[in-house]
Amino acid sequence: MEKAKSRKLNISFESQIAEHDDEQAKPKQRGAGGDKGGPQTKGKLWEFIAIASIPLVLVLGNSMLVPILPDMQRELHVSDFKSSLVITLFSVTAGVFIPVVGYLSDRLGRKAIIIPSLIVYGAAGVLAGFGAVWGSYNVVIWARALQGLGAAGTAPIAMALVGDLYNGATESKALGLTEASNGFGKVVSPILGAALALIVWYAAFFAFPLFCVLSLLAVIFLIKEPKEKSNAKQPIGEYLHSLARIFKGKGRWLVTSFFAGSLGLFTLFGILFYLSEILEEKPYNLDGVVKGLVLAIPLAGLVITSYTTGSVIKKNGTLMRWLMNIGLALSTVSLGLTLVWNKEHLVLFMTLITLSSVGTGLLLPCLNTMITGSVDKSQRGMITSIYNSLRFLGVAAGPPLIGFLMEKNENIVFIMLSALAAIALALIFFLVRPEPNIARKPQKA
């Protein structure tokens, strides 16, 4: 018994500001100023919207370009490989720099990183647009690398900011909302990119910075960051030593969670790439906005499930464990069944792919809540950044690897994805066991 107990995760949720305390900590008040329609609730709603805009902008800046890659190949006279670098180089650059900006956010504050990152992200988008107008592939590709650097300081740091601002049920809900916003961006971006291309093929490059400006203004004026930076003068050696202690004590479940989260995004983007390829072939012959609408079906399942999961898990560790295992089991089974009902049975095939995305929607908000709640504020930026860095690398690896396997045998794609989901399920089942009721502890001095 004692052995079993020691395996459970001791995860705590901290908050730096009193006004963002968990709604479950005290009974709701009615009437003016209460939880229903009071000024505090409205203020929190706008704050939620501002936070959700950050992952939305991150996704739009990348996924909006997917529909225009064939136009780019034609207009800039580049190969398939060179056009794919517009997406891959962005993701790889972001993945490499996310841990660096995570460390800086722990020392300087979250908004001090998010604000300049949004500026760089938007400005590099304009530069890429001018590169497209000038017909210069080199300008476009270097501008995309610069955008990847800016992207590193956006959504990953927003996740740490949520952990600073909220705790318990409110934190879980906010993290579910950020995951849903990320998924919503994936739903609308191919449709929006294809629609903008009807004006001129490079219009998406110039439209995206407008979304950046809106998110920037929301972050500046609607988010009140906690002032305390107790670790600002912490020597880097001491900081790294504290991270080493975290991985020594919690590495088994943290690494497992990192793997599961990265695999979820790897699978999602790999499948989207697969669908994008087959939908343009006979007998479907779908392209442009129509193809974007079909791709949006599994993504809509992810969005709805992510938001719902984030809203209901609160501080319930038992529920999180159930949902993570159910989600991975659902993904394993549905991906395996695609070997029976494949693309020749499109309706059943899309249903199975959507069920796999629902499984991912059950998994990711639970992982996000556990990871952000597992460490103090002083290391939260780095831990969440490592997690998000691996997610970015999963996104970058999905399309090329799936494309390579498709050339060999399409069945191998789904055998591999189902097997990987089964491995993640086994690891989560045996190694990730949160306490039944995840307690909130005060921040240590």
Side-chain angles (χ1 to χ4, degrees):
M1 278 300 275
E2 287 299 311
K3 226 174 193 181
K5 282 183 184 178
S6 66
R7 289 181 183 174
K8 292 184 177 181
L9 311 183
N10 183 18
I11 302 174
S12 60
F13 293 85
E14 301 88 8
S15 179
Q16 304 300 315
I17 48 178
E19 51 265 31
H20 289 96
D21 206 3
D22 183 7
E23 301 100 57
Q24 307 302 317
K26 57 185 179 181
K28 290 183 180 181
Q29 299 175 2
R30 301 290 179 186
D35 202 57
K36 223 178 186 184
Q40 185 181 356
T41 303
K42 291 177 181 176
K44 189 175 290 184
L45 174 62
W46 283 109
E47 197 169 65
F48 278 5
I49 292 171
I51 292 171
S53 73
I54 302 171
L56 177 61
V57 162
L58 172 65
V59 173
L60 289 177
N62 203 23
S63 301
M64 271 173 55
L65 302 183
V66 174
I68 69 168
L69 293 183
D71 297 305
M72 180 183 297
Q73 293 173 33
R74 184 176 62 255
E75 297 294 334
L76 299 185
H77 309 291
V78 296
S79 65
D80 290 352
F81 173 74
K82 283 191 171 183
S83 70
S84 71
L85 286 180
V86 170
I87 303 298
T88 301
L89 185 60
F90 170 91
S91 298
V92 170
T93 305
V96 169
F97 281 97
I98 282 173
V100 177
V101 296
Y103 166 70
L104 292 175
S105 80
D106 280 338
R107 295 179 68 88
L108 305 176
R110 314 303 179 199
K111 286 179 66 173
I113 298 299
I114 293 173
I115 290 171
S117 294
L118 284 170
I119 293 171
V120 170
Y121 197 10
V126 174
L127 179 61
F130 279 115
V133 172
W134 299 330
S136 173
Y137 172 78
N138 288 334
V139 172
V140 171
I141 201 67
W142 286 112
R144 288 292 291 165
L146 187 59
Q147 274 195 298
L149 176 59
T154 56
I157 309 305
M159 184 181 291
L161 178 61
V162 168
D164 295 345
L165 292 173
Y166 312 115
N167 52 58
T170 310
E171 180 183 32
S172 301
K173 186 174 183 178
L175 288 169
L177 181 62
T178 60
E179 199 64 62
S181 178
N182 188 303
F184 176 74
K186 293 181 177 72
V187 172
V188 301
S189 52
I191 303 169
L192 188 57
L196 287 169
L198 296 176
I199 304 170
V200 62
W201 74 269
Y202 49 76
F205 286 113
F206 292 105
F208 159 71
L210 297 177
F211 296 106
C212 264
V213 170
L214 293 175
S215 180
L216 177 64
L217 294 173
V219 170
I220 292 172
F221 295 109
L222 298 178
I223 297 178
K224 301 279 191 288
E225 184 180 12
K227 297 294 184 185
E228 182 185 351
K229 300 184 186 69
S230 58
N231 61 317
K233 297 181 180 178
Q234 186 180 29
I236 188 168
E238 185 182 329
Y239 177 86
L240 293 175
H241 185 63
S242 66
L243 287 175
R245 284 199 304 270
I246 290 171
F247 277 99
K248 185 177 180 181
K250 306 176 182 181
R252 182 174 62 175
W253 75 263
L254 272 177
V255 171
T256 300
S257 299
F258 290 170
F259 168 74
S262 177
L263 176 63
L265 273 296
F266 169 84
T267 301
L268 178 66
F269 271 79
I271 288 175
L272 288 177
F273 177 82
Y274 174 86
L275 289 174
S276 182
E277 291 291 313
I278 67 165
L279 290 175
E280 291 190 358
E281 299 172 356
K282 294 180 179 179
Y284 315 116
N285 298 317
L286 300 179
D287 200 3
V289 175
V290 177
K291 185 178 80 170
L293 289 169
V294 176
L295 292 176
I297 295 172
L299 290 167
L302 173 69
V303 171
I304 295 168
T305 310
S306 294
Y307 181 73
T308 305
T309 302
S311 298
V312 302
I313 55 177
K314 300 179 181 178
K315 295 184 290 184
N316 192 332
T318 301
L319 180 59
M320 288 184 200
R321 186 165 190 262
W322 271 102
L323 292 178
M324 287 188 293
N325 284 291
I326 290 171
L328 284 168
L330 185 60
S331 294
T332 301
V333 173
S334 58
L335 289 170
L337 287 175
T338 58
L339 297 171
V340 180
W341 293 295
N342 54 28
K343 66 180 183 181
E344 305 301 325
H345 312 82
L346 188 61
V347 174
L348 283 172
F349 181 68
M350 289 300 298
T351 300
L352 291 172
I353 295 301
T354 303
L355 287 175
S356 172
S357 295
V358 168
T360 303
L362 291 172
L363 172 71
L364 293 179
C366 298
L367 293 179
N368 296 348
T369 300
M370 286 169 44
I371 290 168
T372 56
S374 67
V375 293
D376 291 343
K377 177 187 174 184
S378 56
Q379 292 89 31
R380 187 175 292 135
M382 176 61 83
I383 294 297
T384 58
S385 291
I386 293 172
Y387 170 55
N388 278 281
S389 176
L390 292 172
R391 284 176 46 141
F392 260 89
L393 294 177
V395 170
L401 182 55
I402 297 302
F404 172 77
L405 292 176
M406 284 176 68
E407 294 177 359
K408 305 295 181 183
N409 187 325
E410 290 188 12
N411 284 338
I412 296 176
V413 171
F414 293 96
I415 291 172
M416 180 195 70
L417 293 177
S418 182
L420 287 173
I423 292 170
L425 172 61
L427 291 172
I428 290 287
F429 182 82
F430 289 109
L431 300 180
V432 182
R433 299 186 177 185
E435 293 285 349
N437 293 301
I438 298 175
R440 183 184 53 167
K441 296 180 181 178
Q443 179 80 22
K444 291 180 182 179

Tab-separated table of all heavy atoms in Angstrom, residues 98-108 110 157 231 234-237 239-240 243 378 381-382 385:
chain	number	residue	atom	x	y	z
A	98	ILE	N	12.177	27.998	-27.529
A	98	ILE	CA	11.177	28.053	-26.453
A	98	ILE	C	11.796	27.882	-25.066
A	98	ILE	O	11.475	28.645	-24.145
A	98	ILE	CB	10.064	27.006	-26.709
A	98	ILE	CG1	9.097	27.517	-27.781
A	98	ILE	CG2	9.264	26.731	-25.439
A	98	ILE	CD1	8.077	26.500	-28.231
A	99	PRO	N	12.710	26.915	-24.837
A	99	PRO	CA	13.299	26.820	-23.490
A	99	PRO	C	14.065	28.070	-23.079
A	99	PRO	O	14.089	28.438	-21.896
A	99	PRO	CB	14.233	25.603	-23.601
A	99	PRO	CG	13.663	24.792	-24.715
A	99	PRO	CD	13.128	25.797	-25.695
A	100	VAL	N	14.703	28.741	-24.044
A	100	VAL	CA	15.465	29.960	-23.735
A	100	VAL	C	14.526	31.062	-23.253
A	100	VAL	O	14.768	31.691	-22.216
A	100	VAL	CB	16.261	30.435	-24.976
A	100	VAL	CG1	16.997	31.741	-24.663
A	100	VAL	CG2	17.230	29.357	-25.426
A	101	VAL	N	13.452	31.297	-24.008
A	101	VAL	CA	12.530	32.358	-23.606
A	101	VAL	C	11.762	31.952	-22.351
A	101	VAL	O	11.329	32.803	-21.573
A	101	VAL	CB	11.556	32.734	-24.747
A	101	VAL	CG1	12.299	33.316	-25.921
A	101	VAL	CG2	10.699	31.562	-25.176
A	102	GLY	N	11.596	30.645	-22.127
A	102	GLY	CA	10.974	30.190	-20.884
A	102	GLY	C	11.805	30.575	-19.679
A	102	GLY	O	11.276	31.047	-18.658
A	103	TYR	N	13.114	30.387	-19.796
A	103	TYR	CA	14.025	30.796	-18.714
A	103	TYR	C	13.963	32.304	-18.505
A	103	TYR	O	13.881	32.786	-17.360
A	103	TYR	CB	15.452	30.364	-19.066
A	103	TYR	CG	16.507	31.003	-18.210
A	103	TYR	CD1	16.639	30.662	-16.870
A	103	TYR	CD2	17.364	31.973	-18.738
A	103	TYR	CE1	17.611	31.265	-16.081
A	103	TYR	CE2	18.337	32.567	-17.960
A	103	TYR	CZ	18.460	32.217	-16.625
A	103	TYR	OH	19.399	32.814	-15.844
A	104	LEU	N	13.973	33.062	-19.604
A	104	LEU	CA	13.913	34.524	-19.477
A	104	LEU	C	12.594	34.979	-18.847
A	104	LEU	O	12.571	35.931	-18.064
A	104	LEU	CB	14.079	35.168	-20.860
A	104	LEU	CG	15.464	35.004	-21.510
A	104	LEU	CD1	15.460	35.572	-22.923
A	104	LEU	CD2	16.536	35.691	-20.662
A	105	SER	N	11.505	34.275	-19.153
A	105	SER	CA	10.219	34.663	-18.565
A	105	SER	C	10.175	34.401	-17.073
A	105	SER	O	9.495	35.103	-16.320
A	105	SER	CB	9.069	33.921	-19.266
A	105	SER	OG	8.924	32.602	-18.792
A	106	ASP	N	10.902	33.375	-16.619
A	106	ASP	CA	10.995	33.111	-15.181
A	106	ASP	C	11.735	34.231	-14.460
A	106	ASP	O	11.454	34.535	-13.304
A	106	ASP	CB	11.721	31.788	-14.931
A	106	ASP	CG	10.817	30.571	-15.118
A	106	ASP	OD1	9.583	30.738	-15.016
A	106	ASP	OD2	11.336	29.467	-15.358
A	107	ARG	N	12.669	34.870	-15.146
A	107	ARG	CA	13.477	35.917	-14.511
A	107	ARG	C	12.881	37.318	-14.709
A	107	ARG	O	12.972	38.167	-13.825
A	107	ARG	CB	14.910	35.884	-15.075
A	107	ARG	CG	15.668	34.612	-14.730
A	107	ARG	CD	17.056	34.608	-15.317
A	107	ARG	NE	17.921	35.593	-14.706
A	107	ARG	CZ	18.656	35.370	-13.613
A	107	ARG	NH1	18.618	34.195	-13.017
A	107	ARG	NH2	19.438	36.306	-13.124
A	108	LEU	N	12.289	37.559	-15.896
A	108	LEU	CA	11.856	38.917	-16.239
A	108	LEU	C	10.352	39.128	-16.133
A	108	LEU	O	9.898	40.269	-16.090
A	108	LEU	CB	12.312	39.264	-17.665
A	108	LEU	CG	13.808	39.118	-17.964
A	108	LEU	CD1	14.093	39.390	-19.434
A	108	LEU	CD2	14.621	40.050	-17.073
A	110	ARG	N	6.282	37.297	-17.418
A	110	ARG	CA	5.664	36.724	-18.618
A	110	ARG	C	5.369	37.801	-19.669
A	110	ARG	O	5.695	37.634	-20.847
A	110	ARG	CB	4.362	35.996	-18.250
A	110	ARG	CG	4.447	35.078	-17.046
A	110	ARG	CD	5.493	34.006	-17.143
A	110	ARG	NE	5.498	33.197	-15.930
A	110	ARG	CZ	6.481	32.436	-15.527
A	110	ARG	NH1	7.604	32.366	-16.221
A	110	ARG	NH2	6.386	31.724	-14.410
A	157	ILE	N	4.560	30.690	-23.212
A	157	ILE	CA	4.667	31.545	-22.039
A	157	ILE	C	3.279	31.879	-21.499
A	157	ILE	O	3.090	32.066	-20.293
A	157	ILE	CB	5.443	32.845	-22.371
A	157	ILE	CG1	6.773	32.497	-23.054
A	157	ILE	CG2	5.707	33.654	-21.116
A	157	ILE	CD1	7.651	31.541	-22.270
A	231	ASN	N	12.372	35.227	-8.027
A	231	ASN	CA	13.531	34.540	-8.580
A	231	ASN	C	14.348	35.418	-9.517
A	231	ASN	O	15.252	34.933	-10.176
A	231	ASN	CB	13.070	33.297	-9.349
A	231	ASN	CG	12.150	33.668	-10.498
A	231	ASN	OD1	11.280	34.498	-10.333
A	231	ASN	ND2	12.355	33.052	-11.658
A	234	GLN	N	17.998	35.169	-8.948
A	234	GLN	CA	18.496	33.827	-8.708
A	234	GLN	C	19.612	33.507	-9.701
A	234	GLN	O	19.415	33.593	-10.911
A	234	GLN	CB	17.359	32.813	-8.856
A	234	GLN	CG	17.741	31.397	-8.483
A	234	GLN	CD	16.576	30.436	-8.654
A	234	GLN	OE1	15.721	30.660	-9.497
A	234	GLN	NE2	16.545	29.396	-7.851
A	235	PRO	N	20.806	33.128	-9.228
A	235	PRO	CA	21.908	32.792	-10.135
A	235	PRO	C	21.521	31.624	-11.034
A	235	PRO	O	20.766	30.739	-10.633
A	235	PRO	CB	23.051	32.407	-9.184
A	235	PRO	CG	22.687	33.012	-7.878
A	235	PRO	CD	21.190	33.024	-7.817
A	236	ILE	N	22.067	31.615	-12.249
A	236	ILE	CA	21.675	30.592	-13.211
A	236	ILE	C	22.036	29.195	-12.722
A	236	ILE	O	21.306	28.227	-12.953
A	236	ILE	CB	22.300	30.869	-14.602
A	236	ILE	CG1	21.725	29.891	-15.631
A	236	ILE	CG2	23.825	30.794	-14.536
A	236	ILE	CD1	22.044	30.253	-17.057
A	237	GLY	N	23.158	29.077	-11.993
A	237	GLY	CA	23.537	27.773	-11.460
A	237	GLY	C	22.515	27.240	-10.476
A	237	GLY	O	22.137	26.069	-10.515
A	239	TYR	N	19.404	28.192	-10.355
A	239	TYR	CA	18.177	27.962	-11.123
A	239	TYR	C	18.208	26.585	-11.780
A	239	TYR	O	17.239	25.811	-11.689
A	239	TYR	CB	18.050	29.055	-12.181
A	239	TYR	CG	16.869	28.925	-13.114
A	239	TYR	CD1	15.618	29.433	-12.771
A	239	TYR	CD2	17.000	28.301	-14.349
A	239	TYR	CE1	14.535	29.326	-13.637
A	239	TYR	CE2	15.919	28.189	-15.221
A	239	TYR	CZ	14.697	28.707	-14.859
A	239	TYR	OH	13.640	28.588	-15.717
A	240	LEU	N	19.325	26.252	-12.436
A	240	LEU	CA	19.442	24.958	-13.096
A	240	LEU	C	19.433	23.821	-12.084
A	240	LEU	O	18.896	22.737	-12.344
A	240	LEU	CB	20.731	24.920	-13.935
A	240	LEU	CG	20.758	25.854	-15.147
A	240	LEU	CD1	22.124	25.812	-15.818
A	240	LEU	CD2	19.667	25.485	-16.154
A	243	LEU	N	15.905	23.111	-11.194
A	243	LEU	CA	15.254	22.338	-12.249
A	243	LEU	C	15.662	20.865	-12.176
A	243	LEU	O	14.835	19.963	-12.370
A	243	LEU	CB	15.618	22.891	-13.624
A	243	LEU	CG	14.977	24.222	-14.032
A	243	LEU	CD1	15.540	24.683	-15.364
A	243	LEU	CD2	13.468	24.088	-14.129
A	378	SER	N	8.683	30.112	-9.915
A	378	SER	CA	10.055	30.440	-10.305
A	378	SER	C	10.638	29.498	-11.346
A	378	SER	O	11.601	29.837	-12.027
A	378	SER	CB	10.967	30.453	-9.066
A	378	SER	OG	10.894	29.209	-8.391
A	381	GLY	N	8.004	28.729	-15.978
A	381	GLY	CA	8.239	29.125	-17.366
A	381	GLY	C	9.107	28.127	-18.099
A	381	GLY	O	8.833	27.759	-19.236
A	382	MET	N	10.162	27.638	-17.444
A	382	MET	CA	11.060	26.687	-18.093
A	382	MET	C	10.393	25.332	-18.282
A	382	MET	O	10.478	24.725	-19.364
A	382	MET	CB	12.338	26.522	-17.270
A	382	MET	CG	13.296	25.484	-17.826
A	382	MET	SD	13.876	25.864	-19.495
A	382	MET	CE	15.207	26.999	-19.127
A	385	SER	N	7.850	25.521	-20.930
A	385	SER	CA	8.516	25.776	-22.213
A	385	SER	C	9.134	24.504	-22.779
A	385	SER	O	9.085	24.269	-23.993
A	385	SER	CB	9.584	26.854	-22.053
A	385	SER	OG	8.995	28.106	-21.795
